[in-house]
Amino acid sequence: MKKAKIYIPSKSAMQSGKGKSNKWLLEFNKSKTENDHLMNWVSSNDTQSQVKLFFSSKEEAIVYAKKNNINFEVIEPKKNKIIIKSYADNFLS
């Protein structure tokens, strides 16, 4: 049976804003890969591991996984704790 994980991907180092950070991703687990020592290529017989499906909500991704008999694990995003400080706080002793 297929296994997948559902999560919100983290932003890349090239992103500074939070645009497109609300999409949920269903990504299949990678299977064992094989190395071709002659050409130095990495290959796999599992094409499912290349599939990435984006959803606008976590519930949509879960419904899709259940409908297609996919075992899944939901990884909840970490909440960033925002500390509001003023510039003058840097000089307090």
Side-chain angles (χ1 to χ4, degrees):
M1 188 170 232
K2 300 177 262 184
K3 286 187 168 184
K5 59 183 176 178
I6 299 172
Y7 64 99
I8 293 180
S10 61
K11 63 181 185 176
S12 71
M14 299 301 292
Q15 292 176 317
S16 61
K18 296 193 182 240
K20 297 184 183 178
S21 64
N22 56 353
K23 297 284 186 189
W24 286 83
L25 175 66
L26 185 140
E27 182 178 34
F28 292 97
N29 292 344
K30 307 233 184 282
S31 65
K32 187 176 178 183
T33 58
E34 301 167 1
N35 290 336
D36 180 3
H37 297 289
L38 179 65
M39 298 298 288
N40 201 22
W41 289 345
V42 177
S43 65
S44 174
N45 293 333
D46 182 26
T47 57
Q48 199 74 13
S49 64
Q50 299 174 2
V51 175
K52 293 182 180 183
L53 300 171
F54 287 92
F55 296 92
S56 58
S57 71
K58 175 175 64 171
E59 290 75 23
E60 287 181 17
I62 292 172
V63 167
Y64 177 84
K66 287 181 179 178
K67 182 179 175 184
N68 292 298
N69 296 325
I70 300 169
N71 286 338
F72 62 92
E73 172 189 4
V74 177
I75 301 171
E76 295 291 334
K78 294 180 183 176
K79 298 292 181 188
N80 290 340
K81 186 176 180 182
I82 299 174
I83 300 171
I84 299 174
K85 295 182 1 179
S86 70
Y87 180 70
D89 291 343
N90 293 330
F91 303 103
L92 295 176
S93 342

